[in-house]
Amino acid sequence: GHDHACGLRQDGTPECWGNTDYAQNFVPDGTFASLTAGRHHVCGLRDSGSAECWGSLNTAPSDTFEALSSGGFHICGLRPDGSAECWGDDVHGQSSALAGPFVALSAGANHSCGLRTDGSAECWGLDYHGQSSPLAGTFIVLSAGGSHTCGLLTDGSAECWGWDVHGQSSPPSGTFVALAAGEHP
């Protein structure tokens, strides 16, 4: 999150710490399979596939999901059929998901991206810096950040697009096994 963090214990119970201004550290009872933190919220995926959110965004659709990804003030969920559902702030269209199918989703500050079954990337939402205009390629992982997005290609190299004022969209050469894009800028 922006100024909080959460962990999932071995028994599946979540624990959050840091800023509590939006109640993002007041975790619900029960166990979760995974967690995702946004700017002032946290969402957990229950073993049943249901989503539960707390903090500034404390509602979730009653659908079943395979994965969740929190952006700045929105969340996207991947349904079992590969379709995406996003909720929360939609001022830039970041919660207006494109039609699926997708195999993975990544929500950024004001944009969201999906990985298609053929490995191509598609993004929606704010595109002021090109963060929603993916490069061509066959990706295996996407990570949407603040105003940029990075993808891991099948050969292990990284490609990024969007704002590059600090070099965040200019990855070094070489191969990688994972990527994580930060929120700011």
Side-chain angles (χ1 to χ4, degrees):
H2 180 68
D3 49 8
H4 68 284
C6 296
L8 196 59
R9 296 195 179 271
Q10 285 184 328
D11 66 359
T13 58
E15 187 163 340
C16 298
W17 56 94
N19 190 327
T20 61
D21 288 349
Y22 298 90
Q24 63 268 44
N25 295 348
F26 301 123
V27 300
D29 291 334
T31 61
F32 293 87
S34 64
L35 299 175
T36 181
R39 189 158 181 91
H40 301 296
H41 68 274
V42 180
C43 288
L45 185 64
R46 299 272 189 189
D47 289 329
S48 64
S50 66
E52 188 167 347
C53 302
W54 56 95
S56 63
L57 291 172
N58 55 15
T59 60
S62 59
D63 296 349
T64 299
F65 298 100
E66 290 188 348
L68 300 174
S69 181
S70 286
F73 297 99
H74 72 290
I75 302 106
C76 290
L78 182 66
R79 292 187 187 120
D81 66 0
S83 62
E85 181 170 354
C86 301
W87 62 96
D89 186 21
D90 197 34
V91 70
H92 300 290
Q94 66 268 37
S95 292
S96 298
L98 299 177
F102 295 102
V103 296
L105 300 173
S106 185
N110 293 300
H111 71 289
S112 304
C113 295
L115 182 64
R116 296 282 186 187
T117 56
D118 66 359
S120 63
E122 287 208 50
C123 302
W124 56 94
L126 186 65
D127 197 35
Y128 187 72
H129 297 289
Q131 65 266 41
S132 291
S133 298
L135 300 174
T138 304
F139 298 95
I140 56 174
V141 171
L142 297 176
S143 184
S147 295
H148 68 293
T149 306
C150 293
L152 186 63
L153 293 160
T154 55
D155 67 1
S157 63
E159 291 282 351
C160 300
W161 54 93
W163 203 17
D164 197 34
V165 69
H166 299 291
Q168 67 269 39
S169 290
S170 299
S173 61
T175 57
F176 300 89
V177 296
L179 293 174
E183 178 188 349
H184 187 74

